[in-house]
Amino acid sequence: MDESAQHPAFAEAVAGLDFDLARAALTIALAEYPELDINGHLEQLNRLADRVTDAAGAEEGSYRRLACVDYVLFRQEGFKGNEDDYYDPENSFLNRVMERRRGIPITLSVLYMEVARRAGLDTQGVGFPGHFLVKTVCEDQEVFVDPFHGGSILSPSDLQGLLDKLFGGRLEVRPEFLSAVSKRQIVQRMLNNIKLIYSNRQDLKRCLRTVEHLVILTPDDADQVRDRGLLRLRLEDSAGALADFERYLELAPDAGNAATVREQIERIRKH
């Protein structure tokens, strides 16, 4: 089955290397909100960026523009992390984050990056362990921003403190934790969050739909192909599961569970 035919808007949005991150993030939500006005939400990002530019005025400087992004998004608009209901799926859909002013670190970071970019500030996503961040360069210095906590700027000791809080002091900040990630990696992390939520809720159909998006995004990711096969099998789509398990073995013939997958293939064929 051609995944792109199932989710054509998403497939188009993530085609190529330098795709529109905001559009890609919004198209994730189309399966859940089929009437979603993507262009309307993109225009809302434009208006937020215009307000940042107006607030910055004629004064130049990255710090000034950074402060204005903070002012518009968190002081005026009231965007904040949803600490009360962190695992609500709506926190992972950018359209609902924009409407409810609540989200999780990665969706609030995407919002921040896209408004900042439109306002002339170069920002990048940072796949910090357990808590997505944003970074930019101001006066030749890297600045790390936490959109989940009101756009706070994190010092090196703050970054270590965040790790300590998340991992109980078992990890120390390493350079790779602060590296920029690609747009594709950002969308992948968003989808993996949604996948985990639906998996924990045993919502197999929505989980399958999310994995279909992941396969479009990373078609050679053997684990996603395998997981789609397992979900299809549980949803009684034996033909789809068979195709996925065979594809999985093509991608990962020496996987540790290859023998188990081959046995599953034989059971499906017998039935």
Side-chain angles (χ1 to χ4, degrees):
M1 183 179 293
D2 182 4
E3 299 82 15
S4 299
Q6 292 177 289
H7 307 287
F10 179 75
E12 181 180 356
V14 298
L17 294 176
D18 190 27
F19 54 78
D20 184 327
L21 178 59
R23 181 175 292 277
L26 287 165
T27 56
I28 291 173
L30 274 176
E32 191 70 26
Y33 306 98
E35 303 303 318
L36 173 62
D37 180 7
I38 290 179
N39 289 331
H41 281 76
L42 293 174
E43 183 54 37
Q44 184 181 344
L45 292 174
N46 292 338
R47 290 195 297 271
L48 288 168
D50 288 343
R51 286 167 55 188
V52 171
T53 302
D54 290 343
E59 188 174 336
E60 296 293 335
S62 298
Y63 275 116
R64 170 69 177 174
R65 204 155 292 260
L66 194 71
C68 291
V69 175
D70 178 277
Y71 176 71
V72 170
L73 291 184
F74 306 112
R75 310 301 172 248
Q76 290 189 326
E77 290 296 317
F79 283 97
K80 63 185 293 187
N82 191 347
E83 298 186 76
D84 296 330
D85 196 3
Y86 191 91
Y87 295 101
D88 182 347
E90 291 195 330
N91 294 328
S92 293
F93 295 118
L94 184 58
N95 59 311
R96 294 298 289 144
V97 171
M98 294 172 68
E99 292 158 10
R100 302 194 309 164
R101 304 295 195 269
R102 298 292 183 272
I104 54 175
I106 193 164
T107 45
L108 288 169
S109 292
V110 169
L111 171 77
Y112 189 101
M113 292 165 61
E114 287 299 296
V115 171
R117 179 179 65 81
R118 286 165 167 78
L121 189 65
D122 184 25
T123 57
Q124 296 174 301
V126 177
F128 197 73
H131 195 93
F132 204 86
L133 300 171
V134 172
K135 73 175 179 179
T136 187
V137 175
C138 295
E139 299 177 7
D140 298 326
Q141 288 190 329
E142 281 192 331
V143 177
F144 293 88
V145 181
D146 183 1
F148 186 78
H149 291 112
S152 57
I153 294 178
L154 303 180
S155 67
S157 62
D158 292 332
L159 291 167
Q160 184 59 57
L162 181 56
L163 265 190
D164 291 343
K165 182 179 178 180
L166 292 168
F167 297 97
R170 298 189 301 275
L171 279 180
E172 291 188 2
V173 174
R174 299 201 294 265
E176 58 266 31
F177 293 169
L178 306 178
S179 298
V181 294
S182 69
K183 294 177 181 179
R184 193 166 299 275
Q185 288 171 311
I186 293 171
V187 174
Q188 184 176 16
R189 186 157 167 167
M190 291 178 70
L191 287 167
N192 277 324
N193 286 343
I194 299 169
K195 176 186 174 183
L196 179 61
I197 291 169
Y198 287 145
S199 177
N200 289 339
R201 294 181 176 209
Q202 292 296 302
D203 190 335
L204 300 184
K205 290 184 178 180
R206 284 184 168 89
C207 191
L208 174 60
R209 187 176 66 204
T210 307
V211 175
E212 288 169 349
H213 282 83
L214 279 161
V215 174
I216 291 171
L217 187 70
T218 55
D220 294 330
D221 186 329
D223 289 345
Q224 300 298 348
V225 173
R226 176 204 60 208
D227 288 354
R228 185 176 62 177
L230 292 168
L231 287 163
R232 284 175 164 174
L233 190 62
R234 293 182 67 185
L235 289 166
E236 300 182 351
D237 177 8
S238 296
L242 178 62
D244 280 336
F245 292 150
E246 289 175 338
R247 175 61 177 157
Y248 173 71
L249 292 177
E250 290 176 7
L251 292 169
D254 300 320
N257 62 348
T260 302
V261 174
R262 290 188 180 95
E263 290 172 3
Q264 185 65 68
I265 288 172
E266 289 307 311
R267 283 196 291 272
I268 295 172
R269 285 175 175 162
K270 286 179 181 177
H271 288 285

